[in-house]
C-alpha cells in the first residue's frame, strides 16, 4: 500500500509516500500479522492542513475486513467535512482522517466474515455501518437508515494505510477495472 501526502487545496500536487512494511516487528506482534501500527493523513482542526499521523488500528471485529489501502479518491465532500462546513466545528471529531472512495486488498478477515478472503480486491464508499434492523436495512437500503454511520467522523477514513469495515459495506471489485479509477465510482455508494 501507499499513502499520498497532499493538501485539501486543489492546486497542490499529490506526493507519494511509501509505507514501511517492516512495522509488524516494531508493533510487537512478532511480524506474524498485518501491523497494528499504521499511518494516516489527518486534520487536527477545521483550519489545519492534513499531516502525517501514526495510529494503532483497533482489533478487528468479528464481521470486519481489514484492507491495505491502495487508492483513495479525493471528493469535495471530504473538504466540506474537514473544514466543518456542514457542522459546527465543536460537533466535529478531530483528528479527522477523511476519504470515502477507498480501494485496496483484504489482508485479514474477522471470524464471521464469509464473503471475503485475503487478497481480494475490494472497495467501499461513504457508509461504514447502519442499525441493520430497521425496515430500510432489511430491504438493503441502508443509506436511508436513521442510524447511518459514515465511513469517517468519528472513525478514520481512507486517507490511511489501512482501514477496516463491516463486510456488509465492502464490495468486490471486478477483474479488469483499473484500481486507480474505481474510487470515484464508490462515492455515490455504488
Amino acid at each position: 500500500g501507499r499513502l499520498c501526502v497532499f493538501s485539501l487545496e486543489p492546486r497542490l500536487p499529490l506526493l507519494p509516500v511509501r509505507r514501511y512494511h517492516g512495522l509488524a516487528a516494531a508493533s510487537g506482534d512478532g511480524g506474524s500479522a498485518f501491523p497494528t501500527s499504521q499511518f494516516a493523513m489527518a486534520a487536527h482542526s477545521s483550519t489545519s492542513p492534513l499531516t502525517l499521523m501514526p495510529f494503532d488500528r483497533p482489533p478487528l471485529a468479528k464481521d470486519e475486513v481489514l484492507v491495505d489501502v491502495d487508492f483513495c479518491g479525493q471528493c469535495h465532500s471530504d473538504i466540506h467535512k474537514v473544514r466543518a462546513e456542514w457542522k459546527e466545528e465543536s460537533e466535529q471529531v478531530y483528528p479527522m482522517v477523511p476519504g470515502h472512495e477507498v480501494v485496496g486488498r483484504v489482508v485479514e478477515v474477522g471470524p464471521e466474515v464469509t464473503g471475503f478472503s485475503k487478497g481480494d480486491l475490494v472497495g467501499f464508499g461513504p457508509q461504514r455501518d447502519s442499525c441493520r434492523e430497521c425496515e430500510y436495512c432489511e430491504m438493503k437500503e441502508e443509506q436511508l437508515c436513521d442510524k447511518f454511520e459514515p465511513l469517517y467522523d468519528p472513525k478514520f477514513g481512507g486517507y490511511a494505510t489501512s482501514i477496516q469495515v463491516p463486510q456488509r459495506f465492502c464490495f468486490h471489485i471486478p477483474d479488469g477495472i483499473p484500481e486507480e479509477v474505481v474510487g470515484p465510482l464508490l462515492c455515490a455508494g455504488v
Side-chain angles (χ1 to χ4, degrees):
R2 63 188 154 272
L3 188 61
C4 287
V5 178
F6 58 92
S7 163
L8 285 176
E9 304 304 323
R11 66 186 175 279
L12 297 178
L14 299 179
L15 304 170
V17 174
R18 286 283 176 199
R19 178 164 43 128
Y20 293 96
H21 288 282
L23 289 175
S27 68
D29 60 18
S32 63
F34 195 74
T36 56
S37 297
Q38 298 289 304
F39 296 94
M41 295 304 296
H44 294 273
S45 74
S46 66
T47 58
S48 72
L50 296 181
T51 57
L52 190 63
M53 178 185 80
F55 72 96
D56 288 330
R57 64 175 178 80
L60 198 62
K62 60 187 176 186
D63 69 333
E64 286 185 328
V65 296
L66 174 62
V67 175
D68 187 16
V69 176
D70 287 331
F71 295 95
C72 185
Q74 181 181 10
C75 177
H76 206 270
S77 298
D78 298 327
I79 297 170
H80 288 304
K81 289 282 283 181
V82 168
R83 299 293 177 238
E85 293 171 349
W86 290 342
K87 285 184 181 179
E88 293 296 321
E89 184 166 2
S90 61
E91 298 173 0
Q92 296 283 83
V93 176
Y94 293 98
M96 181 185 295
V97 176
H100 64 269
E101 301 174 355
V102 186
V103 179
R105 297 267 172 197
V106 175
V107 292
E108 194 175 325
V109 296
E112 293 184 9
V113 172
T114 57
F116 299 93
S117 301
K118 282 184 178 183
D120 287 353
L121 181 62
V122 298
F124 32 91
Q127 188 167 10
R128 180 181 297 272
D129 212 347
S130 66
C131 78
R132 305 182 192 192
E133 298 172 348
C134 71
E135 65 178 307
Y136 296 117
C137 290
E138 300 255 333
M139 296 185 306
K140 302 220 180 275
E141 298 287 342
E142 295 94 341
Q143 73 277 8
L144 301 174
C145 178
D146 286 339
K147 296 190 175 157
F148 176 104
E149 184 181 327
L151 187 60
Y152 64 91
D153 183 20
K155 296 181 179 163
F156 290 173
Y159 295 0
T161 50
S162 72
I163 190 168
Q164 52 204 72
V165 290
Q167 69 174 341
R168 184 174 181 142
F169 295 94
C170 191
F171 304 95
H172 286 280
I173 304 300
D175 291 336
I177 299 177
E179 293 176 46
E180 65 273 13
V181 301
V182 174
L185 297 174
L186 300 166
C187 181
V190 173

